[in-house]
Amino acid sequence: LEGEEQLVPFAGVETFRTCWKATSTVNEFSGLKVDIDKADSGYMVGEVEALCDGISSQEDVENEKEKIRKFVDMITRESERDNEATTIGKLEFVLMKESPDLYNACVKAGVIHRPK
């Protein structure tokens, strides 16, 4: 950066990541990878992504997105019945817990959307 501009850390999160993927190449969820991050605060978040070799069209991309939606729906359906909480990311969680003034400033600026 030039001039007086600086990058200064405003939050820190240590995580332990576990990664999962289907071992079978013939099931409907083959090609999906799941990463689960557990933060030092105890907060956990997961992400699902498609490992796409040979994607050649927008239709292929949409098919992979649908596969992800179907998988996430299947694994979250039961837990969502018991817990209607809105999902938030690791950074939002840390800011809410450790820097509420900064969190509220980010909400006010429209950078972060407050969970419902």
Side-chain angles (χ1 to χ4, degrees), residues 37-76:
D37 291 340
K38 182 175 182 183
D40 51 357
S41 64
Y43 181 74
M44 293 179 68
V45 65
E47 64 186 24
V48 180
E49 58 189 9
L51 306 174
C52 303
D53 291 329
I55 294 293
S56 59
S57 69
Q58 186 61 34
E59 182 180 348
D60 291 339
V61 171
E62 294 305 319
N63 288 339
E64 292 301 310
K65 286 180 178 180
E66 182 58 30
K67 188 188 325 183
I68 290 170
R69 280 189 285 274
K70 187 175 180 181
F71 179 77
V72 169
D73 181 55
M74 182 187 76
I75 64 174
T76 60

Side-chain angles (χ1 to χ4, degrees), residues 71-83:
F71 179 77
V72 169
D73 181 55
M74 182 187 76
I75 64 174
T76 60
R77 191 176 312 130
E78 186 173 318
S79 64
E80 285 182 355
R81 278 187 231 129
D82 299 330
N83 182 8

